Amino acid sequence: MVNKEKVEEAVRLLLEGIGEDCGREGLKETPSRVARMYEELLCGMEASPKEHLSKTFTAEDNQIVLEKDIVFHSICEHHLMPFFGKIHIAYIPDGKVVGISKLARTVEVFAARLQIQEKLTAQIADAIMENLHPKGVIVMAQAEHMCMTMRGVKKQGSQTVTLVSRGSFEQEESLRTLFLNLVSQK
């Protein structure tokens, strides 16, 4: 849970540290605005994916379920800068499916934390395996990192892609290939 008072004090110290006057008109309310922003952006710290993945429906046909182009944003734990992009999730049910909006909500739970993309991708896959018990799951994240585009190497438009597979997607190359082909289709 975000401690607003500590965040506000930290922001005041940061502003002073970079030579700003915290009393000037444009900055007077900045510490409280930043505290509210972090409370909103990091609301996943206390959330559990289980609440979203626990309501399932019987599905006799165990074909691939794919939800692609789930837009997300997160904050890099290394530089406290945003990264954002799309996540694609596929799973093969083992008699149970979850509402497709619940996959997007699961993404939100993990993205709303200080995070690295590699961990985010694995956490989503593991949560689906643990809660839905599918035959397999695969998660791909494609993101642009502001720590690479605004500072450092300053490579605008560069994308980082991470892929995590579990179960049948890990064991069967043909399933991974099918997933990649489906994701690449418009």
Side-chain angles (χ1 to χ4, degrees):
M1 184 158 158
V2 173
N3 182 322
K4 287 184 185 178
E5 292 80 27
K6 284 189 174 187
V7 173
E8 287 178 23
E9 180 59 25
V11 172
R12 277 191 284 280
L13 289 171
L14 174 65
L15 291 170
E16 290 171 5
I18 61 173
E20 277 289 355
D21 174 11
C22 294
R24 76 175 171 86
E25 182 181 8
L27 293 177
K28 281 183 185 176
E29 295 180 32
T30 297
S32 63
R33 282 193 294 266
V34 172
R36 288 191 310 272
M37 175 194 70
Y38 276 116
E39 185 174 46
E40 179 182 340
L41 295 179
L42 300 176
C43 66
M45 301 288 285
E46 304 293 321
S48 168
K50 188 173 187 168
E51 81 178 77
H52 303 297
L53 296 172
S54 61
K55 177 132 173 91
T56 59
F57 307 94
T58 301
E60 300 301 322
D61 192 6
N62 293 321
Q63 299 297 315
I64 291 176
V65 175
L66 170 66
E67 182 72 15
K68 68 181 198 173
D69 296 332
I70 302 169
V71 176
F72 79 98
H73 62 271
S74 190
I75 298 176
C76 171
E77 64 186 32
H78 296 153
H79 296 99
L80 299 181
M81 293 189 77
F83 66 97
F84 56 91
K86 294 180 180 179
I87 291 182
H88 318 286
I89 302 170
Y91 70 99
I92 300 176
D94 194 7
K96 296 282 186 185
V97 295
V98 68
I100 55 175
S101 70
K102 304 307 183 194
L103 297 176
R105 292 193 186 281
T106 299
V107 169
E108 288 176 356
V109 164
F110 291 114
R113 301 175 179 187
L114 291 179
Q115 193 61 276
I116 61 171
Q117 183 175 331
E118 297 86 344
K119 189 164 76 170
L120 172 66
T121 310
Q123 287 173 329
I124 294 165
D126 291 340
I128 292 169
M129 286 300 288
E130 291 168 17
N131 290 281
L132 295 184
H133 309 290
K135 294 179 181 177
V137 65
I138 189 166
V139 178
M140 173 192 255
Q142 300 170 285
E144 183 172 339
H145 293 250
M146 294 290 93
C147 58
M148 274 192 58
T149 62
M150 290 179 65
R151 57 158 304 279
V153 296
K154 297 179 183 166
K155 297 299 179 194
Q156 288 75 23
S158 63
Q159 293 253 319
T160 300
V161 178
T162 51
L163 182 75
V164 171
S165 55
R166 304 285 189 255
S168 55
F169 281 99
E170 189 173 28
Q171 298 157 359
E172 298 176 40
E173 184 178 342
S174 62
L175 286 174
R176 286 190 306 279
T177 301
L178 176 59
F179 169 78
L180 294 171
N181 287 337
L182 291 170
V183 165
S184 67
Q185 293 177 2
K186 294 287 175 190

